Every structure is written in structure tokens, then in C-alpha cells.
Amino acid sequence: MSTSLLLVDDDRTFSSLAASMLSQEGFRVRVARSLHETRAALAAEAPDLVLLDRRLPDGDGLVFLPELRAQLPGTVVLMVTAHGDIESAVEAIRAGARDYLSKPVEIDDLVLRARRAASDLQLQERLRQAESVLEGRHRMAEPRSPAMQRTLQMLERIATTPRSPVLLLGETGTGKAVLARHLYALRQKQGAFVQINCAALPDTMMESELFGHERGAFTDAKTARRGLVELASDGLLFLDEVGELPLALQAKLLTFLDKGAFRRLGGTTELTSTARIVAATNKNLEAEVAAGRFREDLLFRLSVFRVDVPPLRERREDVLPLARTLVQELSSELGRRPVPFSPAAEERLLSYPFPGNVRELRNVLERALVLEGGPTLELQSLAKGGGAPAAVDPNAFSVSGPPRSLDEVERLYVRHVLEQLGGRRMEAARALGLSYPTFLRRLEENPPSE
């Protein structure tokens, strides 16, 4: 993504020439000729770099500099001062300017300083990307099961399409976030990996978090702020628990997926981002659509590439290699040497159903590394059952709570069959042996719970 630059200077000849030269160097240049125009330009879009003249028709750029730094702390400022005014230059550096130029400004010197500042910004961005990768605690272990091998092969093909949406579906704890990071790592020279759990934030904060906000958009919005969609431009934005997005925000996400365009909360300017959206959920989104909680058009748009992540019980070949990899990681985090598994522990790993999938496996291993002090890991918690439930068939129909009438149980089962068939009503009616009108009547008697 090219560096955006705001050139603030009231000299029309100089600003036109400088803007032309900087544009040829690949900068996206906007020009403001007063502090009033500067504030309007900053409100419309936060630039990466500002070239700020001191003497402007409606004020002093040096006096304005602290306001600019407070509003956009991540923006680099180059200050232009009068010839020989060393005191102003020193004051500008103290106020937060990265560098300064003296008038009359040489265009070649200006381009050189701007290129140097842009290179520093790119270096900082690469460091942020490296940190975001290091923040991921899990490594992708080489799978042995055919099901997981097919999943990784599909991700390798998907990685060749830089912006198409991806939908990861699977039970809780299967490693959908790890696969999102793996997809990100398959591409070189890209923007940041950004992750958000859609279930972790209140509905009132989600739009600002995703798309950013302008100053004054709400009570506490004292400065403009970029959203995650902007921060992930040229990279990957991972929306975990996407099924929890409120309906109003689903419409805005759909618009972004279709056009690559969005508006910050409280803003009027249309901005763009090339962030790839990877979404994940353990919900049956077809059933959520049927219940009116998820937009069908958004589901279609997210499902350009739909990847079903198999649960751990369906890839038993991966359990031991994955467990050994996790022991290596956890031992490093805990500051101790890796410990091998005893033969009994390996048998326990292979026989245990792991209803909590990879997340449960990691928790079991971490607990054993802390509590077991022998030369090998025995995984006694698995031998005792560990308090974990036996594997449950996800397709099973059960009714909890106090005894219910037969009619009520029948109505619940109709809803259950509909969810199992992904909301396809005609198929559900046929499976139940009911006429379609009778099936619809039963649904009306048993509306979906909120």
C-alpha cells in the first residue's frame, strides 16, 4: 500500500511542484493551504506523513503541531521552518516532528526526506507484522491424517487468491485460528495479521472496532481512529465467532466484502482497504439464517472458500505428533525441558475422545507438565477421566430440564431436524414424513428461541 502524504503549504507554485514530484515517487498526495483545510483533510483520512509549513494564513504550524500529534500519534511530521530559524527547528523536534527542512526548500531534498520517512514507516510495519506472527502461540504441526492434509492442501490453493473471503467451520477448539495464521503465512510480502473475537465486544463497540471512527462520532471519540479493516489492509483480518456479529453490522461487512470500501463511524468519506477477510464459527450458519439471526447474502459472500475443519476425534493419526509439538511449545513457555510420554500416556492419548479438541489437548498437557514431576508424562488426569465428559454425538437429539409433554418434544424434534439439514425445509419435511403445510404449521407452533 503506497504512503499517504498531506502537504500543508500556502505557496501554490511550490505545493503544486512538490505534489507532482512526490506523486511520481509513489506517494498518495493531498494538499492543504491553511490550518482550516488541514483539519478538514485530517478528519477525512489520517495520512501516514505530513509535511507542515510553519507560516500559514490562519495560524502557526508549530503551534498546531501538538494538536496534530495528539490526534494522530502514529503520523510522521516533517516541519518546514524559515531559513536559519534553528530555534523553531529545535522546538519542532521537541514537539514531536520527525525532521525539519529550511526554506527555501529544495525539491530533491524534500523527496529524499519523504522517502526516508516512508522507509522508516515500512520498517515499523514489518516489525509489527513480525510481532503479530510471534503473538500466535500455536505452530502448525505437519498432519498425518488424510482429512487434515486435504484441509491444508485447500488452504495452499486458496492462498494464491489474495482477497477472496474464507469461511472456516468447525467445532470449538479445532484450531481455526491456527489455520487462519497458516493461510496468512503462506503469502509473502503482505500486511499485518489482525484478529478479533466478535463475541468478546459489546454490539455498540463493534462497528468502531472494525471500521474506525472520526473525531466526535460519539462521546468519548476525542480523536479519529483507524479500524481493524484499515490496519489489516494488504493483510488478513480474522473474524473469529463471526456468527455473533449483530445484523446491522453484518450489512456493513457485506458492503465491504463486495466493494472493498467502507466509512468510519461518523464519517462521510469512503475509504478502501485490501484486507482479506477470514471468518470462523462453530455455529450452523444455515440454521442461523433460517432463524433470522444471520444474513443469507453474507453467508454466500463469506463462503467463496468454505473450509470444514475436522474435529480431533476424526483425525486420530494427528494426536501423538500434535501432542509432542505442544509439549515442546509448552515446555519452552514454562521454562523447563520437554518430557517424553510414557507408553501408558500414549495409549491414553489415543483412546481419549477429546470433546474439546486441540484446545482440550493443550490444557491436559499444560496441567501434566506443571503437576507431574516424573521423568515421563503419565497423563493421569486422562486415566481418571479428568472430569471430562465422554464424546457426544453432535447430531444427537436430547431434551433437558423437567419432563415435557409429548407434543412439546415432537415440536422440539422438528426444529432439531431442520437445523441438522441446514435450514432446508423441504428436505426436513420429507425426512420427518410430514406434508409441507403440516411441517410449516409445526414450525409456527415452535418459533426459534433467541
Side-chain angles (χ1 to χ4, degrees), residues 131-402:
E131 289 171 357
S132 72
V133 172
L134 289 173
E135 285 172 2
R137 296 173 64 194
H138 310 300
R139 288 185 296 158
M140 191 74 226
E142 189 68 28
R144 296 184 182 179
S145 66
M148 203 62 185
Q149 287 174 354
R150 287 193 296 270
T151 297
L152 293 192
Q153 289 167 2
M154 185 175 183
L155 290 180
E156 289 173 2
R157 292 194 293 270
I158 292 171
T160 62
T161 60
R163 196 172 177 271
S164 301
V166 181
L167 181 60
L168 301 174
L169 299 174
E171 297 176 11
T172 298
T174 51
K176 296 184 287 294
V178 179
L179 290 175
R181 280 193 175 274
H182 181 68
L183 176 63
Y184 169 78
L186 288 172
R187 291 192 65 229
Q188 301 296 321
K189 297 181 181 179
Q190 59 174 326
F193 178 95
V194 181
Q195 178 174 348
I196 182 172
N197 187 325
C198 300
L201 289 175
D203 292 357
T204 53
M205 294 179 60
M206 277 300 301
E207 181 176 356
S208 172
E209 196 72 18
L210 280 179
F211 298 114
H213 62 255
E214 299 294 352
R215 183 180 183 183
F218 48 87
T219 304
D220 294 327
K222 297 179 180 178
T223 62
R225 181 185 177 189
R226 296 181 181 184
L228 300 183
V229 165
E230 269 183 274
L231 295 176
S233 190
D234 291 336
L236 188 151
L237 176 57
F238 177 49
L239 303 178
D240 200 6
E241 304 292 351
V242 72
E244 302 296 334
L245 274 181
L247 280 169
L249 197 52
Q250 290 177 28
K252 295 187 177 183
L253 177 60
L254 178 64
T255 298
F256 172 70
L257 289 170
D258 285 339
K259 301 179 179 179
F262 64 97
R263 287 188 176 89
R264 292 180 187 162
L265 183 63
T268 57
T269 303
E270 190 170 74
L271 305 175
T272 60
S273 169
T274 55
R276 172 178 225 157
I277 299 297
V278 176
T281 184
N282 59 2
K283 286 190 171 184
N284 182 332
L285 289 185
E286 284 84 359
E288 292 296 296
V289 169
R293 292 187 291 265
F294 201 83
R295 292 178 63 106
E296 187 175 35
D297 48 4
L298 178 58
L299 175 58
F300 291 151
R301 193 69 184 87
L302 286 173
S303 301
V304 173
F305 293 110
R306 178 172 175 153
V307 180
D308 291 297
V309 184
L312 193 55
R313 63 180 175 274
E314 293 180 7
R315 46 187 180 107
R316 307 299 303 181
E317 305 96 323
D318 293 335
V319 172
L320 286 180
L322 182 57
R324 295 187 183 108
T325 298
L326 290 173
V327 165
Q328 292 279 348
E329 291 181 7
L330 289 166
S331 297
S332 177
E333 292 176 12
L334 295 170
R336 60 171 296 180
R337 290 183 179 181
V339 184
F341 295 113
S342 70
E346 292 187 353
E347 290 181 9
R348 289 164 186 152
L349 285 169
L350 291 173
S351 61
Y352 186 72
F354 288 106
N357 292 295
V358 180
R359 185 177 294 128
E360 183 184 9
L361 172 61
R362 184 184 182 91
N363 293 342
V364 166
L365 298 176
E366 185 172 358
R367 182 166 61 248
L369 284 168
V370 172
L371 298 180
E372 295 183 12
T376 60
L377 289 179
E378 298 294 334
L379 305 184
Q380 293 294 340
S381 62
L382 295 184
K384 298 173 183 177
V392 177
D393 182 356
N395 297 318
F397 172 69
S398 62
V399 179
S400 58

Side-chain angles (χ1 to χ4, degrees), residues 90-104:
V90 172
E91 190 177 348
I93 297 298
R94 286 176 177 170
R98 172 74 64 87
D99 203 349
Y100 70 92
L101 300 91
S102 296
K103 284 191 170 182

